[in-house]
């Protein structure tokens, strides 16, 4: 199976926080998942921890390489830029990642994240959805200590909602 492509500065183990969630489900494909994931306006329909997505520079409604967008999650207003975007190709998974940030650069409240997704079709009509996030800054230190872990739980809700929405769309 494939792995996330991590840019310098966001490699897991060298940041203040890291979380990883994955599901493998039968009966769905990358083609079922991808449109729901790359359209931020759809996120609140299946993930209640996302709100108020909007694009900059007359872009959207879908994510694309380099596009700037905004959304709110985990109580943070997140400015973001897509750092990797690749639709599925023969033998290669679909990938989308964004650098998100909240707070003034250099301040104690600054949070920088790299949120990455990998979706790949597997044998026997299965799909694998992997989401991982690294976080830097004081807020990331606090999130890493929280029990239960809000990032692990929140991202699992995102995965579960994404799968449920894709199944519902197939009906």
């Amino acid at each position: 199976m494939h792995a996330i492509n991590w840019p310098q500065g966001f490699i897991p183990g060298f940041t203040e926080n890291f979380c990883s969630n994955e599901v493998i489900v039968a009966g769905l494909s990358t083609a079922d998942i991808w449109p729901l994931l790359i359209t931020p306006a759809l996120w609140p329909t299946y993930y209640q921890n996302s709100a108020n997505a909007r694009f900059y520079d007359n872009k959207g409604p879908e994510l694309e390489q380099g596009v700037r967008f905004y959304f709110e999650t985990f109580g943070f207003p997140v400015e973001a830029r897509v750092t990797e975007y690749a639709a599925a190709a023969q033998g290669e998974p679909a990938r989308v990642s964004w650098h998100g940030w909240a707070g003034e650069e250099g301040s104690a409240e600054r949070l920088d994240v790299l949120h990455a997704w990998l979706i790949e079709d597997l044998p026997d009509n299965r799909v694998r959805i992997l989401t991982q996030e690294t976080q830097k800054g004081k807020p990331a230190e606090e999130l890493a200590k929280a029990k239960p872990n809000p990032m692990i739980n929140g991202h699992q809700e995102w995965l579960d909602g994404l799968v449920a929405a894709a199944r519902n769309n197939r009906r």
Side-chain angles (χ1 to χ4, degrees):
M1 290 188 268
H2 292 88
I4 300 294
N5 297 325
W6 292 104
Q8 280 300 105
F10 288 97
I11 297 170
F14 298 110
T15 62
E16 284 79 7
N17 196 15
F18 170 73
C19 66
S20 180
N21 296 71
E22 177 180 39
V23 295
I24 297 175
V25 296
L28 292 174
S29 69
T30 299
D32 298 315
I33 301 298
W34 190 244
L36 294 166
L37 182 58
I38 64 164
T39 311
L42 295 177
W43 297 350
T45 68
Y46 62 84
Y47 178 51
Q48 66 182 357
N49 197 17
S50 177
N52 301 318
R54 63 180 180 267
F55 284 83
Y56 295 102
D57 305 318
N58 296 314
K59 298 291 184 176
E62 295 179 352
L63 299 176
E64 59 185 83
Q65 184 67 40
V67 74
R68 280 273 325 272
F69 68 106
Y70 168 91
F71 69 106
E72 296 164 10
T73 188
F74 289 100
F76 291 101
V78 179
E79 298 288 341
R81 179 180 304 279
V82 175
T83 58
E84 183 180 29
Y85 182 95
Q90 187 63 33
E92 292 297 317
R95 298 173 180 274
V96 65
S97 301
W98 55 81
H99 169 217
W101 61 92
E104 293 298 317
E105 199 163 1
S107 74
E109 294 81 31
R110 176 71 173 204
L111 175 67
D112 281 277
V113 307
L114 197 287
H115 193 160
W117 294 81
L118 184 148
I119 300 99
E120 67 181 317
D121 291 324
L122 299 176
D124 301 319
N125 192 31
R126 296 174 300 143
V127 68
R128 173 184 180 226
I129 310 166
L130 172 66
T131 186
Q132 296 181 330
E133 182 169 311
T134 59
Q135 303 176 334
K136 302 188 298 185
K138 189 82 167 147
E141 290 177 6
E142 299 306 315
L143 283 168
K145 296 175 193 172
K147 301 286 188 246
N149 187 306
M151 299 306 300
I152 294 290
N153 292 340
H155 287 168
Q156 191 63 46
E157 288 175 19
W158 199 337
L159 284 173
D160 294 345
L162 184 57
V163 167
R167 285 193 168 134
N168 191 52
N169 286 348
R170 287 194 69 140
R171 290 187 179 128

